[in-house]
Amino acid sequence: MDEQPRDLTEEIKRLQRCVNDLVSVLALPAAWSGGEPSQIVHTLLDALLRMLQLDLVYIRLKETSDQPPIETVRFAQSRNERTPAREVCDLIQHWLGAAPEEQPPVRWKVLGDRDISMVPLGLGLQGEIGVIVAGSARSDFPQQTERLVLSVAANQAFIGLQEAWLRSEQKRIAIELDQRVAQRTTELAAANEELRKENVDRKHAEEDLRISEEKHRVIIEAANDVVVSMDEKGAILLANPATRHVFGYDPVEIVGKPMTILMPEMMRKLHENGFKRYLATGERHLNWHGVEVTAQRKDGQEFPVEVSFGELTRDGHRLFTGYIRDISERKQAEDRLRASERDLQMTQAELARVSRLTTMGELAASIAHEVNQPLTAVINNGSACLRLLANRNLEPEVLRRALEGIVADGTRASAVLARIRAFIKKEPAERNLLDINEVIQEVLALAGREFYENQVSIDRQLTTDLPLMLADRVQLQQVLLNLVMNGIEASTAVIDRPRLLRVQSRIDESGDVLVSVTDSGTGFGSELDRVFIPFFTTKAKGMGMGLSISRSIVESHGGRLWATPNSPHGAVFSFTLPANVGSSS
């Protein structure tokens, strides 16, 4: 008998809490009234955490025309979560997918080892502006009343965000209007001042006008650009002598003719309709100053022109005067410039290839040494086979081992030559998934002779299990080989301390793959700011393109290459490359 009253009391309390929460949610707009979208987001998250005793609440707002996207997650203050907020955001984003409003509630270990009930709610009728995700460790979350509170909160947030974005747009429009009003006010003030002067000095103005008209006539007749005037019916009233060499018409031929005589057939109807609409409504569909259109000469040839028109009302009639400039030569110059830019690009690609060839020339001794080792082994094994045949010692096992050695060493020599040939060939970039540690090992093998002859030690600090990256192997070999050779050369000047080159690979704080080459040489001095400038070099036989090309290669892969001093001696060259998400070595 006591159980039902107790359940009824709990139900009443739960409903009262729901009502209180709804009242609080409905009061939220007063708290964020006039605020920015970020303020609305933080106020909403704090309120939901407090009212529904959530363990986490996540929100993501889509980008608008003048607002960047917003994404954040808030944890309950009583929780001591060790999972980074960025990791939680990425997990929730991955779960939501492309249609978050269609995702059902789930329980998921998103915070350490604890199961969290996750409920997504779209912001807007179809989630068009974003999504809210509420999470609680309670197994019965969300209850019906909590769903109601979350739904009302999402609607309130949608309305508040729409209002905030509308205020931002209104503010922008108001600023633009103020600027236009100020500009127009300045123009009107200047016009009024001119009018006052005209009223005061009318007689002088009339004389000045006569002189000005005479000068204007001389300028029009001497101008290289075509000057034409037409009436409100579209008939040509005046044409200057430039019409002859631009359009091929004598000015007297076109006076009285429609302006469309200077246009291609396909544009004439469009001009007539647009001109009639302007006369009736004052609405322009084209800018009248500096607009580029196509004109037609007397012989039917079409060519590009730049047109500027002005309007004058005299004796109740409207007069339109325009300046028409032949821009054929300018267009041709622009085409030549674009072609030249394509040639700036081809030259840079050729310089990259020359840089590879130059670097390979410096490594000729190392290449010869690396190829000579397997060839020497092939010769030795072949000689052994000949001796066995001469001595009639034809034991199959002995011959098999010797022949296997010949095959293995021949294959190794072929692989070395293939790697060198791929490095120096002029081929387009081919990006594949690769392990950066493999590329590092290949480059260090290529430079092995240089390390030996210059007495430079190698310290490899390569992190295993790095994620794969989508990149061009030959281009990354070029970057690494350039940095390694620079480090070896810088270390040769060291006489009072060990010569050491350290190559490291790891994941940096942003999740990208980071590679660094550190030497113990003389460092930069005052040259740090210039090392990446094309054609700057401190080498006697250097081209000054290696580091510039290396930076271009890294940036084309979406990464970054930079240099820093190494304490207490030497230099550090580092670059990052984006990892291929979802893959590992």
Side-chain angles (χ1 to χ4, degrees), residues 50-173:
R50 183 181 67 257
M51 288 187 296
L52 301 182
Q53 299 180 355
L54 300 175
D55 287 273
L56 68 85
V57 60
Y58 163 92
I59 190 169
R60 185 179 73 214
L61 299 182
K62 298 179 181 178
E63 182 179 5
T64 64
S65 59
D66 60 344
Q67 294 287 338
I70 296 177
E71 181 185 37
T72 186
V73 64
R74 191 70 60 83
F75 302 107
Q77 294 183 355
S78 59
R79 305 293 183 187
N80 184 19
E81 301 297 347
R82 296 182 179 178
T83 308
R86 182 65 262 168
E87 182 178 333
V88 173
C89 289
D90 291 342
L91 288 172
I92 293 176
Q93 251 195 66
H94 181 73
W95 166 60
L96 289 174
E101 67 278 359
E102 299 177 3
Q103 293 291 346
V106 297
R107 285 188 68 78
W108 192 16
K109 286 184 173 61
V110 71
L111 296 179
D113 296 329
R114 295 189 299 125
D115 281 341
I116 300 295
S117 293
M118 310 286 288
V119 179
L121 291 97
L123 289 172
L125 297 178
Q126 300 295 330
E128 61 269 19
I129 71 169
V131 64
I132 297 177
V133 177
S136 173
R138 299 198 334 264
S139 60
D140 61 347
F141 178 82
Q143 296 181 357
Q144 186 174 3
T145 56
E146 291 170 325
R147 282 184 177 275
L148 178 60
V149 171
L150 286 171
S151 177
V152 174
N155 290 336
Q156 292 290 86
F158 171 68
I159 294 171
L161 289 169
Q162 291 288 73
E163 291 177 349
W165 287 328
L166 181 59
R167 284 194 301 272
S168 177
E169 182 66 13
Q170 290 173 339
K171 182 178 179 180
R172 182 186 65 79
I173 293 174

Side-chain angles (χ1 to χ4, degrees), residues 399-411:
L399 283 174
R400 185 179 64 80
R401 286 199 301 270
L403 292 174
E404 286 178 347
I406 291 173
V407 172
D409 290 322
T411 302

Side-chain angles (χ1 to χ4, degrees), residues 292-556:
E292 294 184 6
V293 296
T294 301
Q296 179 175 287
R297 294 190 171 95
K298 183 177 181 179
D299 60 6
Q301 179 187 7
E302 296 182 1
F303 64 105
V305 295
E306 184 179 86
V307 178
S308 296
F309 261 88
E311 179 182 356
L312 178 66
T313 300
R314 177 178 293 179
D315 299 330
H317 296 284
R318 301 161 85 172
L319 179 68
F320 302 88
T321 300
Y323 293 82
I324 304 175
R325 174 172 296 174
D326 184 351
I327 57 173
S328 301
E329 293 184 1
R330 191 180 79 188
K331 288 293 185 181
Q332 293 170 1
E334 291 174 354
D335 292 340
R336 289 194 295 270
L337 178 60
R338 282 191 290 269
S340 176
E341 290 174 349
R342 287 194 296 270
D343 293 340
L344 288 173
Q345 294 172 357
M346 293 176 63
T347 300
Q348 185 177 16
E350 184 63 20
L351 282 174
R353 179 173 174 271
V354 171
S355 176
R356 288 201 298 271
L357 292 174
T358 303
T359 305
M360 291 307 301
E362 296 173 355
L363 290 174
S366 298
I367 295 170
H369 174 75
E370 188 171 354
V371 175
N372 190 54
Q373 284 182 335
L375 292 180
T376 300
V378 169
I379 293 171
N380 291 337
N381 283 323
S383 299
C385 289
L386 291 174
R387 287 195 300 271
L388 291 173
L389 290 172
N391 296 330
R392 299 184 180 277
N393 185 2
L394 301 179
E395 295 184 13
E397 183 61 26
V398 176
L399 283 174
R400 185 179 64 80
R401 286 199 301 270
L403 292 174
E404 286 178 347
I406 291 173
V407 172
D409 290 322
T411 302
R412 183 155 63 97
S414 177
V416 170
L417 292 174
R419 187 166 67 241
I420 296 169
R421 184 167 57 251
F423 185 79
I424 63 176
K425 283 176 66 178
K426 181 179 180 181
E427 294 181 342
E430 181 178 347
R431 298 191 180 185
N432 298 293
L433 287 177
L434 54 83
D435 183 349
I436 191 63
N437 286 340
E438 292 182 0
V439 180
I440 293 173
Q441 298 287 21
E442 291 167 355
V443 170
L444 293 180
L446 280 174
R449 186 73 175 180
E450 297 294 328
F451 281 107
Y452 174 76
E453 291 187 348
N454 291 283
Q455 299 180 353
V456 178
S457 301
I458 309 174
D459 180 14
R460 296 178 176 88
Q461 297 184 5
L462 308 181
T463 302
T464 58
D465 298 327
L466 290 175
L468 300 179
M469 62 183 59
L470 191 63
D472 183 271
R473 180 181 294 272
V474 174
Q475 288 187 345
L476 291 191
Q477 287 176 338
Q478 181 178 355
V479 172
L480 279 164
L481 192 56
N482 191 285
L483 300 182
V484 168
M485 293 299 295
N486 285 350
I488 293 174
E489 185 167 342
S491 300
T492 57
V494 173
I495 58 174
D496 57 347
R497 59 182 180 272
R499 298 175 179 179
L500 177 65
L501 190 78
R502 179 180 299 111
V503 182
Q504 297 175 294
S505 66
R506 61 181 176 85
I507 295 293
D508 69 357
E509 296 77 7
S510 63
D512 292 338
V513 175
L514 183 145
V515 178
S516 62
V517 178
T518 306
D519 64 65
S520 58
T522 56
F524 295 111
S526 61
E527 301 161 350
L528 177 58
D529 296 334
R530 297 191 292 166
V531 293
F532 292 104
I533 298 176
F535 304 110
F536 171 79
T537 180
T538 58
K539 300 179 182 180
K541 299 181 180 180
M543 295 175 59
M545 290 299 296
L547 289 176
S548 175
I549 292 172
S550 296
R551 171 173 276 185
S552 298
I553 291 174
V554 172
E555 290 177 350
S556 72

